[in-house]
Amino acid sequence: MRQMNAMVFAAGLGTRLRPITNHIPKALVTVNKIPMLEYALKKLEHAGISKTVVNIHHHHEQIIDFLNNYSSTKMEILISDEKEKLLDTGGGLFHARKLFDPDTPILLYNVDILTTANLTPFIHFHQEFKPLVSMMVKKRATSRYLLFDNNMVLSGWENINTGEKITIRPALMTTPYGFQGIHIVSPEIFNFSKPDEAFSIIKLYLELGSKHIIKGYETKEDIWYDIGTPQRLEQTRNIITKLSSQELKNLF
């Protein structure tokens, strides 16, 4: 398998998780007594990732302390400093670009998700089709959907709560999918130079998707959780206690 780097988005304010995140970063919120950042790092290491960058901002000193005490024998872990300015997902990726190995794909991972999905087939998918971006998606209920054509090429985006819809390429029919917070970008993404400012990576994908191939990778049998609110966190903690030993193992 070709070498691959990764980035864990851990800098966010976790505003939807307040008051929990008033005194702790979202990355260190625990499920089954394990911090979310630990789930992410172990998941990436087990997938054969050689280097992972973790961005920091909110309660950054706690994340630094955690990483100083976290050991990995197979994966280098670096910090991307956003203490002075939070840059969102797109800005965070471009801000960290010098930390990645040259000409190496990067797997991006949201720190607030848990999944039993196997990352290895997803990595192979990206290496086989070589799109600009590969996005792990699932047919699930959400308010914002990514729209893909019959070849699983990104064709648009829709917010069903507001009625807003963006079409970026023509398609006879599209299928809506929920984004799972895991995606892979080819190193060519950095050819589209961006200033050091905050912006959403999804917005960038919608800008680039009309001229460049962004592929969806659907998972069906995996279990997926988003701990983005106190209610979802509590639901996730309750569900985790009911998982089989193999399902628990697959979270890493």
Side-chain angles (χ1 to χ4, degrees):
M1 186 169 67
R2 184 184 173 190
Q3 185 181 21
M4 183 164 294
N5 289 178
M7 181 170 186
V8 179
F9 292 122
L13 299 175
T15 53
R16 294 183 303 148
L17 261 175
R18 289 175 179 165
I20 298 169
T21 48
N22 286 342
H23 306 289
I24 187 174
K26 179 168 57 175
L28 298 184
V29 171
T30 61
V31 173
N32 204 22
K33 299 181 181 180
I34 300 172
M36 294 297 293
L37 182 55
E38 184 172 341
Y39 281 107
L41 292 174
K42 287 184 176 178
K43 188 93 171 173
L44 294 168
E45 182 174 352
H46 291 162
I49 300 298
S50 58
K51 175 190 289 185
T52 292
V53 174
V54 179
N55 67 344
I56 58 170
H57 177 84
H58 184 57
H59 293 305
H60 56 269
E61 69 287 345
Q62 294 184 39
I63 297 179
I64 292 172
D65 287 344
F66 172 84
L67 292 175
N68 284 338
N69 290 288
Y70 182 87
S71 61
S72 174
T73 58
K74 299 179 181 178
M75 184 174 71
E76 182 182 8
I77 301 174
L78 301 177
I79 290 174
S80 180
D81 188 347
E82 295 180 30
K83 292 195 294 287
E84 298 302 320
K85 183 180 180 181
L86 185 61
L87 295 169
D88 204 343
T89 49
L93 171 64
F94 277 73
H95 181 69
R97 62 184 300 176
K98 293 181 180 179
L99 298 175
F100 301 112
D101 295 329
D103 303 318
T104 303
I106 304 161
L107 192 154
L108 307 175
Y109 200 103
N110 290 358
V111 79
D112 60 357
I113 63 104
L114 287 175
T115 181
T116 60
N118 188 339
L119 297 183
T120 301
F122 180 48
I123 292 171
H124 288 161
F125 172 88
H126 183 81
Q127 293 170 337
E128 177 182 356
F129 291 99
K130 298 179 174 60
L132 180 65
V133 182
S134 296
M135 307 182 75
M136 186 178 288
V137 296
K138 189 177 183 67
K139 288 184 179 177
R140 62 178 181 85
T142 183
S143 60
R144 293 171 293 182
Y145 287 96
L146 296 168
L147 307 177
F148 291 88
D149 67 13
N150 289 336
N151 294 314
M152 290 301 288
V153 174
L154 182 65
S155 301
W157 173 93
E158 182 176 20
N159 186 323
I160 62 172
N161 285 345
T162 65
E164 182 183 3
K165 186 173 182 178
I166 299 172
T167 300
I168 61 174
R169 59 173 61 228
L172 292 176
M173 184 181 71
T174 60
T175 303
Y177 290 90
F179 178 44
Q180 288 184 263
I182 302 172
H183 34 149
I184 299 174
V185 295
S186 297
E188 290 76 21
I189 195 80
F190 295 121
N191 293 340
F192 308 97
S193 180
K194 286 281 185 179
D196 200 10
E197 62 182 27
F199 66 93
S200 163
I201 195 73
I202 299 298
K203 183 178 179 181
L204 178 63
Y205 294 167
L206 292 171
E207 292 174 3
L208 298 177
S210 61
K211 296 182 180 179
H212 304 272
I213 299 298
I214 296 177
K215 293 277 286 184
Y217 173 86
E218 181 186 7
T219 63
K220 297 180 180 180
E221 304 302 326
D222 66 304
I223 301 169
W224 184 89
Y225 310 98
D226 169 8
I227 66 148
T229 67
Q231 294 77 21
R232 290 180 183 174
L233 173 60
E234 189 62 28
Q235 290 170 0
T236 300
R237 284 172 169 169
N238 290 336
I239 293 172
I240 287 290
T241 63
K242 302 173 185 177
L243 295 184
S244 67
S245 58
Q246 184 59 51
E247 288 171 328
L248 287 172
K249 183 179 179 180
N250 289 342
L251 290 173
F252 298 100

